[in-house]
């Protein structure tokens, strides 16, 4: 066990005038510039900012995990319990990582090694930093798994990550990070990839563990709701610089800097605006739409039938936005994919232009493919990286008989419509930011001139300010092309802003349905109420 | 897990039966009468008839098939036309050298190539990486027989460290075995080392950018364990695939190497049998090779589930 650390000093982490240089080819010279912040024992400091603000680079600099040769701290000091980390040798840093400072990450799906059992991965920290024998390690791991409230640790300790839910995996990450009682915990967007109810539980757990152990927490997030729930103090970063810092209430209730004000204003409100009822013709109807999966059997469910969607009835008018809200596993994406016939429904009908397409064979389905278009969640993966943006956009129209010239003409118009320059057509997806890529995805969908647009978590991966712009764009094109918009989301705030009507789904079934304003004012079903309660920072949101 | 292995083993049976039928049909369905071909140009009608009845070709086809399968199940692959010895005996005699050469080649290749590939991936973009990759290209492009003769010339004839020809069994002469197998192993390994190094580098490089590698480093894990405990096992599936394909290709490669080093293995038997048109031997060898491929494929499939718990069939 590492015993060389200095006795508890006043501050756990003290970053002073830290600058991290970017390679010469970058668009600015510093990823982080003149950053100063301190964390005291038992304190949670939230670092807030959008992508590119330098918040993750700061975390990596503290951990000594900056990618070698690309990013290098160029000046300043980072003191962990009084010890200068920038002056420490690689071996010393390795000793400190996992024992005195630990880190949890955004994606619990990918942050755990898929081929090792979760028990082994937690125990690995003990193997690295202690001389405990195997039996003692196992006992410590079990104890820690109980402490993070994992069910049935005796069985779960030998499970592999893919056999656990996202929330359980994040609990494993927390167990692994805190098992040696580090002085500092760095949490990099630890709940961003989780459902709201799971997020609320994980935030509560981090709070609980941190209070009990007096851990100092550097909590990185883009979500002001989370900040409102968990922060003691807040540091706001933009383009690598600290723009404002203060206590939680100072920042959230009385922000001074324009950037902070803009960030807070971009957080969609939980109060939906009034909307006139839509009276256009019905574009899409489903009747008792069901999808059943035969599951292969995981650790805790040995081969059973899963009703991913059960007797879903919906109707959607031209010019209307219907929100389908639910957590992962609620069946909201399954419904969307059935409607687009990306997967085949097990039962029920899907009525498009008077024809039931639920069971149409692929050949006869083709003419309907134009009608329904989908925008997916991850703009980084839904565009083919080896094809130019133009090639991606014109592929659909040329498949349906448009000449390449006409298709390109249409693509140029669409680029202007979504707010990009037409010369973007000859560039590749990696040359664009997330928000721009999502605009490209929208242009690609529109190129098919659909009647129905399905947005499957289309703004979930975006920064709040970008999110607001893309939502606005979606609303504009809905009006312009009289589209029926099926909007799939887990985010109640987003749903409040854009949807005329809402469908709340849980475990494959629709539990509540109605006008957005009514549901927000007076939710009926217990699950809907639970979703509202779990929405991060909802007290703060009601007030602003 | 056990049920998967049992199912996978059972699923090889239909494939083996199909292979057996194809091999049986090959001799019967090829144009012309095999007996005439075997008997040669100067044969009399009597000789041809005798050969035909020796081969059982005068019986109805279904009777032939049942008899043939029956013999096959007892390990009887027929009698060699040229040497008049049972094919199974001939193959058994030649099996050991080839098996041993394949085994040493695979072990040597994997032991050299996997660490080299991991190293190249870890040092990707540096000189180490480039040097390893240049050697790997050389390994691909260097003809097997040239390397074999070069080694013989240097270590056999000039330095006289190693025997130039022949094979010794490890069971009767362990030292002789090691001395005689070194050069053929290096010769045959070169192309597999090149292949496996490349695949290992590519798949480890991909895995190294994964989030769980960052997690391992955040725990304070040392680089060696990050590479071998976290990265390599995740990269193992494509590596195992290419090693499996390598073993299958080995038999072809062994023919040349066995010729260069005068090793009495299966490769030589194949060449001799084809030159002499010894149908029963060719038939028997095709069966043995096919069954080997089927079994290797099965072992690779089973290995996948060992490397990656998410893979279940």
């Amino acid at each position: 066990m590492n015993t060389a650390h200095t006795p508890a000093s006043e501050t756990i982490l003290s970053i002073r005038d830290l600058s991290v240089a970017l390679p010469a080819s970058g668009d600015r010279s510093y990823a982080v510039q003149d950053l100063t912040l301190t964390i005291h024992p038992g304190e949670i400091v939230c670092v807030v900012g959008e992508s590119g603000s330098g918040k993750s680079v700061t975390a990596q600099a503290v951990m000594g995990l900056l990618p070698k040769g690309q990013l290098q701290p160029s000046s300043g000091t980072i003191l962990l319990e009084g010890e200068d980390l920038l002056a420490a040798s690689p071996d010393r840093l390795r000793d400190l990582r996992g024992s005195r400072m630990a880190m949890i990450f955004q994606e619990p799906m990918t942050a755990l090694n898929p081929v090792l059992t979760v028990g082994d991965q937690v125990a690995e920290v003990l193997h690295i930093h202690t001389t405990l024998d195997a039996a003692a390690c196992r006992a410590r791991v079990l104890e820690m798994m109980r402490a993070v409230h994992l069910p049935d640790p005796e069985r779960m300790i030998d499970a592999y990550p893919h056999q656990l839910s996202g929330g359980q995996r994040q609990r494993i990450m927390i167990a692994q990070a805190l098992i040696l009682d580090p002085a500092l915990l760095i949490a990099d967007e630890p709940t961003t990839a989780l459902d709201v109810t799971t997020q609320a539980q994980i935030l509560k757990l981090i709070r609980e563990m941190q209070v009990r152990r007096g851990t100092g927490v550097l909590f990185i997030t883009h979500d002001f709701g989370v900040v409102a729930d968990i922060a003691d103090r807040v540091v706001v970063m933009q383009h690598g610089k600290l723009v404002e810092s203060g206590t939680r209430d100072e920042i959230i209730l009385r922000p001074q800097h324009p950037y902070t004000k803009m960030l807070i204003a971009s957080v969609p409100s939980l109060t939906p605006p009034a909307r006139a009822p839509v009276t256009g013709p019905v574009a899409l109807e489903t009747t008792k739409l069901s999808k059943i999966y035969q599951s292969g059997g995981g650790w805790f469910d040995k081969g059973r039938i899963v009703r991913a969607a059960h007797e879903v009835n919906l109707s959607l008018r031209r010019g209307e936005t219907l929100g389908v809200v639910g957590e992962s596993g609620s069946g909201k994406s399954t419904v969307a994919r059935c409607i687009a016939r990306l997967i085949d429904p097990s039962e029920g009908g899907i009525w498009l232009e008077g024809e039931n397409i639920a069971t149409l064979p692929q050949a006869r389905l083709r003419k309907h493919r134009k009608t329904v278009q989908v925008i997916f969640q991850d703009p980084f993966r839904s565009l083919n990286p080896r094809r130019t943006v133009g090639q991606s956009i014109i592929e659909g129209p040329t498949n349906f008989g448009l000449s390449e010239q006409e298709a390109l003409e249409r693509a140029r118009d669409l680029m202007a419509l979504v707010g990009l320059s037409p010369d973007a057509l000859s560039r590749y997806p990696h040359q664009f930011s997330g928000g721009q890529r999502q605009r490209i995805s929208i242009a690609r969908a529109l190129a098919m001139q659909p009647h129905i647009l399905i947005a499957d978590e289309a703004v979930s991966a975006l920064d709040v300010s970008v999110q607001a712009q893309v939502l606005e764009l979606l609303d504009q094109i809905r009006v312009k092309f009289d589209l029926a918009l099926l909007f799939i989301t887990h985010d109640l705030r987003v749903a409040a802003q854009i949807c005329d009507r809402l469908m709340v789904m849980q475990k494959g079934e629709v539990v509540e349905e109605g006008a957005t304003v009514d549901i927000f004012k007076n939710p009926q079903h217990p699950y809907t109420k639970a979703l509202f309660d779990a929405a991060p920072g909802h007290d703060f949101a009601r007030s602003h | 897990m056990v049920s998967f292995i049992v199912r996978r083993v059972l699923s090889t049976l239909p494939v083996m039966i199909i292979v057996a039928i194809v091999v049986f049909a090959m001799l019967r369905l090829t144009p012309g009468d095999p007996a005439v071909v075997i008997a040669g140009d100067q044969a009399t009608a009597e000789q041809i008839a005798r050969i035909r009845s020796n081969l059982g070709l005068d019986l109805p086809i279904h009777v032939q098939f049942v008899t043939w399968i029956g013999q096959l199940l007892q390990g009887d692959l027929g009698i060699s036309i040229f040497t008049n010895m049972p094919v199974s005996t001939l193959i058994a005699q030649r099996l050991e050298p080839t098996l041993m050469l394949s085994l040493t080649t695979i072990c040597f290749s994997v032991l050299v190539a996997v660490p080299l590939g991991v190293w190249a991936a870890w040092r990707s973009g540096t000189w180490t990486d480039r040097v390893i990759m240049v050697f790997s290209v050389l390994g691909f492009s260097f003809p097997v027989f040239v390397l074999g003769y070069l080694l013989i010339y240097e270590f056999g004839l000039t330095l006289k460290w190693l025997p130039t020809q022949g094979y010794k069994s490890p069971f009767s002469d362990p030292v002789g075995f090691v001395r005689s197998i070194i050069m053929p192993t290096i010769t045959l390994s070169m192309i597999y080392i090149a292949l496996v190094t490349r695949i290992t580098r590519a798949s480890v490089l991909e895995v190294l950018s994964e989030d769980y590698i960052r997690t391992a480093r955040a725990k304070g894990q040392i680089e060696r364990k990050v590479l071998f405990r976290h990265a390599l096992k995740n990269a193992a599936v494509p590596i195992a695939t290419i090693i499996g394909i390598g073993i299958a290709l080995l038999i072809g490669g062994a023919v040349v190497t066995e010729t260069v080093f005068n090793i009495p293995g299966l490769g030589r038997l194949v060449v001799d049998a084809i030159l002499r048109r010894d149908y029963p031997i060719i038939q028997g060898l095709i069966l043995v090779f096919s069954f080997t491929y089927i079994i290797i494929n099965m072992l690779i499939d089973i290995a996948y589930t060992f490397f990656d718990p998410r893979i279940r069939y």
Side-chain angles (χ1 to χ4, degrees), chain A residues 63 65 94 97-98 105 110-116 120-121 124-125 128-129 160 162 173 176, chain B residues 210-212 214-223 225 229-231 233-234 307-310:
Chain A
M63 292 294 284
L65 289 175
R94 234 181 352 244
R97 282 202 290 269
F105 302 95
T110 54
L112 289 168
N113 190 329
V115 305
L116 300 175
D120 276 351
Q121 298 188 56
E124 190 178 11
V125 181
I128 297 167
H129 298 286
Y160 289 95
H162 70 277
M173 285 299 291
Q176 171 178 292
Chain B
E210 296 282 348
D211 287 350
Y212 51 79
R214 185 183 57 182
T215 307
R217 290 188 175 132
K219 288 181 193 173
Q221 189 56 281
I222 57 173
E223 279 300 299
K225 287 205 174 168
R229 185 179 149 89
H230 287 278
K233 203 178 169 204
N234 274 287
F307 290 125
D308 191 337
R310 289 168 300 181

Side-chain angles (χ1 to χ4, degrees), chain B residues 268-278 281-282 285:
Chain B
R268 292 279 305 284
L269 189 61
V270 175
V271 176
D272 292 347
I274 291 172
L275 291 177
R276 293 166 183 160
R277 299 183 181 215
D278 202 333
I281 295 187
I282 296 173
L285 284 169

Side-chain angles (χ1 to χ4, degrees), chain B residues 121-143:
Chain B
W122 188 52
R123 287 261 160 257
S124 103
T126 66
W127 277 105
T128 317
D129 179 27
R130 262 169 247 159
V131 168
I132 292 174
M133 283 305 103
V134 165
F135 271 104
S136 142
V137 172
L138 283 178
F140 267 127
S141 31
F142 218 70

Side-chain angles (χ1 to χ4, degrees), chain B residues 55 76-88 90 278-281:
Chain B
L55 290 173
D76 181 355
L77 296 171
I79 306 288
S80 155
I81 294 163
F82 190 79
T83 62
N84 262 331
M85 282 169 70
V87 171
S88 50
L90 283 171
D278 202 333
Y279 281 81
I281 295 187

Side-chain angles (χ1 to χ4, degrees), chain A residues 330-357:
Chain A
S330 65
K332 56 189 194 305
S333 286
T334 305
V335 170
R337 281 169 201 189
C338 283
I339 289 170
R341 279 295 303 269
L342 297 175
I343 53 177
D344 295 331
S346 312
E347 271 168 50
I350 301 167
W351 296 84
L352 269 187
E353 295 162 342
E355 193 172 5
N356 183 1
I357 63 151

Side-chain angles (χ1 to χ4, degrees), chain A residues 511-533:
Chain A
V511 296
E512 187 160 1
E513 196 180 351
T516 310
V517 181
D518 296 340
I519 290 188
F520 272 74
K521 208 177 285 169
N522 190 12
Q524 297 298 315
H525 194 273
Y527 178 70
T528 316
K529 291 177 186 165
L531 279 182
F532 279 113
D533 286 339

